[in-house]
Amino acid sequence: GVDKDKFMEIFRSVETTEKMEDLQSLLFEYELQAVPAMVINGRHKFTVKDTEGKRFLELADYLINLERSSKSK
């Protein structure tokens, strides 16, 4: 198991607090309402719900490859 005191030390640390603040900023910026969610290159945003739970990773792969190919042109 996890040591409770060590966990609380890390949970309350400045680094963890900063990371949580960064995460909240991104959630607001990308208007994410559900997780898991992905944002590809700041342009393509989707959640598992958008794909009805199917092909979530396939869609991510497709969009990543699309972005990569557009950058190489």
Side-chain angles (χ1 to χ4, degrees):
V2 176
D3 179 86
K4 179 183 175 186
D5 293 332
K6 184 67 176 169
F7 172 83
M8 293 308 294
E9 175 186 334
I10 293 169
F11 182 75
R12 293 182 176 140
S13 71
V14 172
E15 182 180 357
T16 299
T17 300
E18 289 172 352
K19 287 183 180 193
M20 291 301 293
E21 289 170 356
D22 291 345
L23 175 60
Q24 287 206 307
S25 294
L26 287 173
L27 289 171
F28 180 76
E29 179 181 343
Y30 291 118
E31 301 174 353
L32 297 177
Q33 302 293 320
V35 290
M38 286 200 190
V39 179
I40 310 294
N41 200 25
R43 297 176 49 190
H44 310 284
K45 173 180 69 173
F46 59 98
T47 67
V48 167
K49 186 177 178 183
D50 295 327
T51 62
E52 298 177 356
K54 302 173 187 168
R55 301 183 178 222
F56 181 74
L57 295 177
E58 289 93 342
L59 178 58
D61 286 339
Y62 171 78
L63 293 171
I64 290 167
N65 288 328
L66 182 68
E67 287 297 314
R68 284 181 180 157
S69 67
S70 70
K71 285 185 182 241
S72 64
K73 291 181 180 179

